[in-house]
Amino acid sequence: MPVRTRAIVAAGVVVAVIAVLGIWVVARQLGGQLRLPTAGRSCTVQADGRVLLDADQMANAATIAAIGIQRRMPERAVVVALATAYQESGLRNLAGGDRDSVGLFQQRPSQGWGTPAEIRDQRYAANRFYAALKKVRGWEQMRVTDAAQAVQRSAFPTAYQKWADESEVLTRALLGEATGAVACTVGRTPVMRGAAAAAALTRGLTLDWGLQSTGSVAELTGLTVPAPDRRDGWRYAHWLVSHAPDHGVKRVRFGNLEWTADEGTWAKVSDGRPAEAQVLAEVFAEG
């Protein structure tokens, strides 16, 4: 091969290697958004800002927020946790990642975060993240990315900051600071129906929020969740809608507003019977 030809081929190889490395770096800096493109977005969150998520992302975000409140962590902690999960996994419960990283926060068993099976449990992962954040001295006064980095020790320490705005919108909605802020669409073939769906919702509310029991609702195939005040009511209502696609929720009502799977939006109740001091949820019937 002539010297000139060999030089051209070698230059081409170098360019290709540089391109591949560049794509890898961009992918790491963009986090899960690039590695796992979000297809079929089905949830819209509006709370002094707008965020679009698909069903899995929305359910994971709702669980992360609920675990934070159950642990009595301040609102800022939920923002940091959501921004971290956004960057590390795209708010997805990944089976793997860089080296032995696993789950929503890409926690590593080799670094003492737990077994792979434990870390794949979204609630376990969120609890471990909040516990580690709480140990960081002065995290409340840090920028979102600095607080996240103090826990994660990432190779890209400033990458978390780009998710701060989205995480603040999600936090306002999921912590009940906005009304009718989470709206999800549900397909014609829900994952669960009937008693199985109601049981899964009851279990989820217990694990995420620490609620011990929910009573049945005579006129609905579902359950009722006590809401001591308006903020709690919207927390539970938004959680139920966030988990609607994977738990077969057909209708959620709180106050004078109602979300339905058919419309995928919130509207004033049509029968004039507002739900006071409780959130009502109806699941798809069997068959």
Side-chain angles (χ1 to χ4, degrees):
M1 182 183 294
V3 174
R4 179 178 175 80
T5 302
R6 286 199 300 268
I8 292 173
V9 171
V13 171
V14 171
V15 170
V17 171
I18 291 173
V20 170
L21 288 174
I23 290 172
W24 180 85
V25 169
V26 171
R28 279 295 293 165
Q29 290 181 331
L30 289 178
Q33 185 187 45
L34 182 59
R35 285 180 289 146
L36 292 165
T38 303
R41 296 173 186 262
S42 58
C43 296
T44 302
V45 182
Q46 302 232 31
D48 293 331
R50 188 168 183 263
V51 173
L52 300 176
L53 298 176
D54 67 23
D56 289 341
Q57 291 173 309
M58 191 71 245
N60 288 329
T63 288
I64 290 171
I67 294 297
I69 296 305
Q70 186 181 166
R71 292 184 63 93
R72 301 183 184 279
M73 296 293 286
E75 181 175 320
R76 181 72 169 175
V78 176
V79 174
V80 174
L82 288 171
T84 303
Y86 248 128
Q87 169 62 21
E88 295 290 353
S89 69
L91 285 171
R92 299 181 189 282
N93 192 19
L94 303 181
D98 180 41
R99 289 174 283 188
D100 60 337
S101 300
V102 180
L104 283 170
F105 299 92
Q106 289 291 277
Q107 294 156 330
R108 299 179 59 192
S110 64
Q111 300 300 311
W113 287 98
T115 67
E118 287 173 332
I119 298 171
R120 282 297 303 281
D121 182 313
Q122 297 97 316
R123 297 170 180 105
Y124 173 92
N127 268 301
R128 287 300 306 270
F129 179 86
Y130 286 120
L133 179 65
K134 193 172 183 179
K135 294 178 182 178
V136 175
R137 181 175 298 178
W139 71 265
E140 300 94 331
Q141 288 74 47
M142 294 179 181
R143 290 189 307 157
V144 167
T145 197
D146 295 332
Q149 174 64 4
V151 175
Q152 300 295 108
R153 302 184 184 279
S154 167
F156 303 95
T158 63
Y160 305 100
Q161 194 64 34
K162 64 177 170 287
W163 303 113
D165 290 345
E166 288 89 340
S167 298
E168 288 173 358
V169 172
L170 289 174
T171 298
R172 283 192 290 270
L174 294 170
L175 268 56
E177 295 176 7
T179 298
V182 178
C184 296
T185 57
V186 178
R188 295 179 179 274
T189 55
V191 177
M192 294 184 182
R193 289 177 176 269
L201 284 174
T202 299
R203 181 173 182 272
L205 286 164
T206 298
L207 293 173
D208 281 12
W209 291 103
L211 300 181
Q212 295 306 308
S213 64
T214 53
S216 61
V217 183
E219 65 269 26
L220 299 177
T221 305
L223 47 98
T224 178
V225 185
D229 57 44
R230 188 172 180 81
R231 188 177 189 186
D232 279 343
W234 282 114
R235 286 177 176 177
Y236 303 147
H238 290 155
W239 184 94
L240 287 162
V241 174
S242 297
H243 284 277
D246 61 349
H247 282 66
V249 181
K250 184 178 181 180
R251 186 187 313 271
V252 176
R253 178 179 295 189
F254 180 61
N256 66 343
L257 292 179
E258 180 178 77
W259 169 89
T260 60
D262 288 341
E263 298 296 331
T265 57
W266 289 89
K268 288 189 176 181
V269 295
S270 58
D271 58 13
R273 292 183 299 167
E276 302 294 349
Q278 60 184 2
V279 181
L280 306 181
E282 177 186 2
V283 299
F284 284 91
E286 297 280 2

